[in-house]
Amino acid sequence: MPLLRTTRSLRATRTTVLAGLLLAGTAVVPMASAAATPLYKNSHAPVSERVKDLMARMTLDDKVGQMTQGERGAATPAQSAAARLGSILSGGGSTPTPNTPAGWADMIDAYQKAATSTGLGIPIIYGSDTVHGHNNVHGATVFPHNIGLGAANDPRLVEKIGAITAEESAATGVKWGFAPCLCVARDDRWGRTYESFGEIPRNAVENSRIIKGLQGRELDDPASIMATAKHFIGDGGTTGGDDQGNTQISLEELRRIHLPPFRAAVAHGVGSVMISFNSWNGVKDHGNKFLITDLLKGELRFSGFVISDWNGIDQIDGQEGFTAAEVKQAVNAGIDMIMVPYDYLKFISTLKAEVLNGHIPLSRIDDANRRILTKKFELGLFEHPYTDRSLQKDFGSAAHRAVARQAVRESQVLLKNDGVLPLAKRDNKIFVAGKNANDLGNQAGGWTLTWQGQSGERVIPGTTILDGIKAGAGKGTVVTYDRAGGGIDSGYRVAIAVVGETPYAEGEGDRPGGLGLDAEDLALLGKLKASGVPVVVVTVSGRPLDIAAQLPSVKGLVAAWLPGSEGAGVADVLYGDYNPTGKLSFTWPKSSAQEPINAGDGRQGLFPYGYGLSYRRHHR
Ligand code: BGC
Ligand code: BGC
């Protein structure tokens, strides 16, 4: 160790002298340095000095490029390098062919090869929405969406999930995850309710621990990725649960409900924060200097970098596309990197012009670059720009799936039980029905392979809830499945109806008209009840549903949320292999007409926040 220290400081001295020459003189590099390594490339030098050295060598074009993020479908590696883009992202479902870890690694390594072959050789950072595992990639371990993890109320497990997600992401070259969503969803009609850990800040505060898992002990660990706390701020507080809508609350309420999770994220050292599409009292967050610069960077002392959301700056003036005025407002408000999926060339020329005409001070450009480059150095991207493919051997492994299954078990909330659960494993006759019983796409929800997700029995590898029920059946037990309930008769001891929602994401999931079961589910429940067989309802959904009218005639009710790839975890609870511990992190309303209804507001729902039953004894 002491030997290493000496070596380090010797190197640092040599390169500091060189840097001194550079800074003192013009940008002309001394002849002798042709062979010497520039300070910024010296992995032993302190990050702050490397950043300073690198920035002294960068032109305005380099700096503007660093602040720009394009979409993989819009920028080839060569185009990305020519424009000096700082980052490339995969939008939801924007995947290489083949959509495998190797396919991703090949794609991302090609971006890195092009980027590191330019003059200064600054690597890009590649980002993707790792919202419930590395969900864009086929074969990834897909964890329950946040609403389920909130019910599980096990932040240490969530930290482990973060570590697995990071490992599977890094295995593909993705070193930046757009997660966690720390939204506090106040109105369940909002299409992003399932991305929320719970309706009160404590749920997101405690589970922000996932950041520790994602980022690991050090950002430059091969299996670490940089996390993103999103969306700052007030996304879950819009009037009517309108996605990207207007959060009309006082500063006091904004601070009390929506700020605490970000404070916690900063305490965990989160590397980036994404700005939210919503407005706060009529002003779009993307242009709000008070929120971004004063509150986030000033008061919270966030030292990482701020990324805008998908075309988010376009919305500042309410007109399509972005103008120079919007670019100026967003950057001056404190956004450091701008997600302009497609129009990156126009963005670059606009931003440059706004600097040259004095609308945006160079100090702001430098601040943004300092923040972005600091993270790139901390991530070790300059030393290791290419994918560590040795991590691929554990991609989607049985060990990772076992953790996901545990999370599924822990996230189940038993809401009603008239003695029909747990299911006897032996000598039983079980009927299983419903559109979500045997559909991995439905149980995984949105942000799975594609942005919106999709129905489909085997769209991803994993186990369906039906698979789990079948696998758990013991000697003498018969499990019969028919989606529509065909063939049910009084000879069955129990009928499990797995109903609820089908995949959606963001505004496509807004349901201002109510959260009732659909016609297929209602017809199924009618049919099962008519058979006289006791019915257990399992809801697969991104939020509490309107179930009050059905409740009296069912014998059991389990909220399964959106469990992801390991449906067998639901069966673990149905059979009592795991005695349920999940508790509602959302008030379950009598009807969605009660929305918004939240803990502490003194109103009575169907089941209160924190509710969840267990089995008193195991009777097999
Ligand atoms: C979403 C973000 C996401 C981004 C990139 C946006 O539409 O609001 O949560 O990170 O797209 O896919
Ligand atoms: C992209 C998503 C993005 C969304 C924003 C979609 O086309 O795939 O990543 O979040 O657009 O509207």
Side-chain angles (χ1 to χ4, degrees), residues 71 89-94 129 244 277 309-310 342 447 451 506:
E71 215 282 335
L89 90 148
S90 271
S94 181
D129 290 286
Q244 310 190 0
F277 282 129
D309 203 345
W310 184 274
Y342 308 119
W447 296 107
W451 178 40
E506 302 188 43

Side-chain angles (χ1 to χ4, degrees), residues 479-554:
V479 177
T480 307
Y481 165 71
D482 186 77
R483 173 174 170 148
I488 182 86
D489 63 46
S490 56
Y492 288 93
R493 300 253 195 82
V494 62
I496 314 286
V498 190
V499 299
E501 295 187 313
T502 52
Y504 54 81
E506 302 188 43
E508 307 286 315
D510 284 0
R511 291 177 66 183
L515 297 168
L517 297 179
D518 67 16
E520 179 180 353
D521 289 347
L522 292 172
L524 171 68
L525 292 184
K527 186 167 198 164
L528 297 179
K529 281 173 202 164
S531 72
V533 175
V535 177
V536 173
V537 168
V538 176
T539 52
V540 169
S541 66
R543 50 196 150 188
L545 298 176
D546 286 351
I547 200 93
Q550 286 75 42
L551 194 62
S553 58
V554 304

Side-chain angles (χ1 to χ4, degrees), residues 69 89-92 128-129 131 178-179 181 192 195 230-231 243-244 274-275 277 308-310 339 447 451 506:
Q69 182 185 57
L89 90 148
S90 271
S128 188
D129 290 286
V131 306
F178 305 134
C181 182
R192 305 192 83 153
E195 294 188 61
K230 70 186 191 183
H231 309 83
D243 188 47
Q244 310 190 0
M274 189 184 291
I275 301 306
F277 282 129
S308 55
D309 203 345
W310 184 274
M339 190 189 290
W447 296 107
W451 178 40
E506 302 188 43

